[in-house]
Amino acid sequence: MIGLLTRQAKKHFEAILAIFALIAVFYVLKSVKGPGALRREKIEQAREEEHTTLLPRKWVPDLNKVFPVEHYQIPTHPDPKCTPKQNLYFLRTHQTGTSSVTNIFYRYGKEHDLNFVMYPLKLHLNYPGRINMLYLERMMPEKGYNILSQYTRHHQSDVLRIMNPGTIFTTLLRHPVDQFLSVFNNFDIKQEMKNLLPHHNPYEEFFRRPDKIAMLASDSVYHLIQNSMSFDLGLNTPHFKNNSAVDEFVEKIDSEFHLVLILELLDESLVLLKRLMCWDLNQLVYVKLSVNKEYSVSISDDIRQKIMDWNSIDMRLYTHFLEKMKNIISEQDESFHKEVALLKQINSDFSKECYEKVFPVYNGNKIGYSLRKSHETNMTCKGLATDDVTQTHVIGLKQFKDNLPPSDILMVRNHMQNLKKHNPAMLDWTDVYKVLHPDKSQPEKNEL
């Protein structure tokens, strides 16, 4: 009898221990924050901080930096007496074709010995955070900054503070369906969100529960998955579902940017930029540096609609500025379309004259070129075919050459030599060496 009671008591005790163990496990699991919880916590923190100034010290806008309104108006016809403007802010949006457009500004800046806003050898300015204003002001050249074309989020006060007076504000938009699909594929969202990997159609799986799946993305791509063009232009994620905030945002961008380029009307956009900046048409030559695959061709109408709904703010933004672009074009004189046709012809002629072969590289996401023998030393042909990372390195070496350690210079040399294997037409190390050492024609053997 006593043995029976002992066994029953032991069973009850084990059951109680099991219950306490389950309770302990529950509270432990509850205390562990998964990706979704961490993401929601960050969003809440952003909501609390969105009205907090992030400028490192008190700054009062300099009204002398803003020129009369005529300075920012797009002429309706060419003005042979105009003076070229050399202060430009180009807000880079992601997967919209900005590599080719930024190449124009890199080449123009180097040709006219202009100063770029950049951290040494970096393609971005603390994206998606704020610019380190104190650092840039400490490194500011004597003549100030002329061009800002690195990746950053738009904050008008930062740009007005750091840039020279009379700076022109521009950016580039792309149809949100194509832009989203380009992000989805080029940033390997399937790999980021591993639960999409087994599915034959990852788009359908993503849109079964997009909010939850998006929370699983890493910080490096999370802000690119939904309304990324609007995010790049300064709209914070907590405002995505606030219609009045979105309306104010679109109006704000319209008032702050003097020209918003449209990828689907790129040549027309560039001719308008040429008229606004008073540049020469030959300075706007470009070649494709990235492959804009037509991912949208293979998707269903249902997925296309879901992409537009998911990126509804980008759709509003794009639609607004597409209509505005069409209105601006309609106000141009008859020579405008002749200039557009001429730019297309110049681009075609340059490609035929410079390059022998064009081929995809890096899993088909980028474009490589090989030079014709007759143009192997042509710096324009080389510069056109050079990617934005290398262009940043080249400009950074020149602009910060007195402040860079030898290890950074060695890194750039190795980077360029490796890329040259894939894209033979790009700038090579000897071209950069001439800039760093104008007194020497060729690098020594140990410097190659």
Side-chain angles (χ1 to χ4, degrees):
M1 185 68 180
I2 294 175
L4 178 63
L5 291 174
T6 302
R7 286 193 297 273
Q8 288 179 343
K10 186 179 180 180
K11 287 182 179 179
H12 288 311
F13 181 72
E14 290 175 347
I16 292 172
L17 282 179
I19 291 171
F20 275 110
L22 288 172
I23 293 173
V25 170
F26 170 77
Y27 279 104
V28 169
L29 292 175
K30 189 176 180 181
S31 66
V32 176
K33 296 178 181 179
L38 290 172
R39 184 74 64 199
R40 285 188 288 273
E41 191 175 277
K42 284 187 177 183
I43 290 174
E44 287 301 321
Q45 185 179 358
R47 184 179 285 116
E48 292 174 3
E49 294 178 351
E50 61 183 287
H51 298 299
T52 303
T53 178
L54 296 179
L55 292 177
R57 61 178 173 80
K58 187 175 181 181
W59 173 74
V60 178
D62 182 358
L63 297 180
N64 292 324
K65 282 197 168 187
V66 180
F67 286 6
V69 65
E70 294 80 10
H71 176 80
Y72 305 101
Q73 291 178 339
I74 303 172
T76 58
H77 57 276
D79 181 5
K81 297 182 180 180
C82 66
T83 302
K85 302 181 181 78
Q86 296 189 333
N87 299 308
L88 178 74
Y89 164 52
F90 179 61
L91 188 280
R92 292 192 67 170
T93 46
H94 287 80
Q95 298 299 305
T96 56
T98 58
S99 295
S100 296
V101 176
T102 307
N103 186 282
I104 295 172
F105 307 141
Y106 287 147
R107 297 189 332 263
Y108 184 90
K110 287 189 292 184
E111 179 184 344
H112 293 83
D113 199 24
L114 304 181
N115 297 315
F116 287 78
V117 180
M118 62 169 60
Y119 301 155
L121 312 183
K122 299 291 185 182
L123 190 60
H124 63 84
L125 295 167
N126 198 36
Y127 180 91
R130 292 290 285 270
I131 297 174
N132 186 334
M133 303 298 293
L134 291 180
Y135 173 82
L136 290 174
E137 287 177 333
R138 188 168 68 249
M139 299 293 290
M140 184 180 292
E142 185 179 347
K143 296 181 180 179
Y145 291 117
N146 304 105
I147 297 177
L148 196 168
S149 58
Q150 307 302 85
Y151 282 110
T152 185
R153 286 192 74 204
H154 174 62
H155 295 281
Q156 184 191 35
S157 60
D158 289 356
V159 181
L160 289 175
R161 175 174 173 175
I162 202 68
M163 293 296 292
N164 278 342
T167 293
I168 300 296
F169 283 49
T170 66
T171 187
L172 176 64
L173 300 180
R174 182 184 186 183
H175 193 286
V177 171
D178 295 316
Q179 191 269 347
F180 172 83
L181 292 173
S182 185
V183 167
F184 200 94
N185 289 276
N186 290 330
F187 283 88
D188 206 357
I189 301 301
K190 288 186 290 184
Q191 186 65 37
E192 278 277 338
M193 306 168 193
K194 298 185 186 302
N195 56 332
L196 298 179
L197 281 175
H199 296 275
H200 176 68
N201 192 325
Y203 305 131
E204 290 183 359
E205 179 61 22
F206 177 83
F207 284 111
R208 281 181 61 244
R209 42 180 185 164
D211 289 303
K212 290 185 177 180
I213 293 179
M215 287 289 184
L216 300 175
S218 65
D219 288 343
S220 61
V221 301
Y222 172 71
H223 296 299
L224 304 178
I225 296 174
Q226 183 182 24
N227 295 313
S228 73
M229 293 187 291
S230 298
F231 179 82
D232 288 342
L233 283 161
L235 185 66
N236 290 325
T237 308
H239 285 154
F240 281 4
K241 296 182 180 180
N242 185 332
N243 286 328
S244 61
V246 172
D247 290 339
E248 291 177 9
F249 162 71
V250 175
E251 291 178 9
K252 179 174 178 289
I253 298 305
D254 197 346
S255 66
E256 292 177 0
F257 281 79
H258 307 115
L259 176 62
V260 175
L261 314 179
I262 301 294
L263 181 63
E264 288 76 13
L265 294 170
L266 184 56
D267 292 318
E268 290 84 351
S269 298
L270 290 176
V271 170
L272 290 177
L273 180 67
K274 171 252 181 190
R275 293 187 170 191
L276 175 60
M277 298 297 293
C278 188
W279 287 2
D280 188 270
L281 204 59
N282 286 313
Q283 294 167 330
L284 297 171
V285 174
Y286 68 93
V287 297
K288 287 186 177 181
L289 296 173
S290 298
V291 179
N292 294 323
K293 295 181 180 178
E294 295 296 329
Y295 295 109
S296 58
V297 174
S298 60
I299 64 171
S300 64
D301 292 340
D302 179 58
I303 292 297
R304 183 179 181 84
Q305 186 59 51
K306 287 179 177 177
I307 293 173
M308 290 192 288
D309 294 341
W310 175 248
N311 295 281
S312 59
I313 302 171
D314 274 1
M315 279 301 305
R316 290 171 66 176
L317 186 74
Y318 176 82
T319 301
H320 174 86
F321 284 104
L322 177 62
E323 289 304 312
K324 184 173 183 178
M325 172 64 69
K326 291 179 179 178
N327 290 335
I328 295 173
I329 291 174
S330 68
E331 295 170 354
Q332 301 300 300
D333 69 348
E334 60 182 16
S335 69
F336 173 79
H337 294 288
K338 294 179 180 179
E339 285 190 281
V340 172
L342 180 58
L343 178 59
K344 292 178 184 290
Q345 186 61 51
I346 292 173
N347 281 331
S348 176
D349 291 344
F350 254 98
S351 293
K352 292 176 182 177
E353 186 176 339
C354 288
Y355 309 116
E356 189 172 44
K357 293 181 180 178
V358 181
F359 44 87
V361 294
Y362 303 119
N363 298 320
N365 293 328
K366 300 291 183 180
I367 298 177
Y369 295 87
S370 62
L371 291 167
R372 295 187 182 278
K373 288 186 177 181
S374 57
H375 288 70
E376 287 180 346
T377 59
N378 187 298
M379 294 300 291
T380 300
C381 296
K382 286 185 172 185
L384 279 168
T386 301
D387 64 282
D388 50 0
V389 174
T390 303
Q391 290 278 19
T392 295
H393 288 171
V394 172
I395 292 168
L397 284 179
K398 180 183 178 183
Q399 193 163 310
F400 302 99
K401 63 180 179 179
D402 296 330
N403 299 299
L404 292 175
S407 58
D408 281 357
I409 298 175
L410 179 63
M411 180 273 292
V412 173
R413 186 199 69 180
N414 293 340
H415 167 84
M416 293 184 69
Q417 289 175 343
N418 288 331
L419 287 186
K420 189 78 173 177
K421 300 173 185 176
H422 303 280
N423 184 12
M426 64 176 277
L427 292 169
D428 53 43
W429 177 244
T430 55
D431 300 320
V432 180
Y433 189 87
K434 293 173 186 176
V435 175
L436 294 176
H437 304 279
D439 54 325
K440 297 181 181 180
S441 59
Q442 291 291 330
E444 304 293 336
K445 288 186 177 180
N446 63 337
E447 295 175 309
L448 285 171

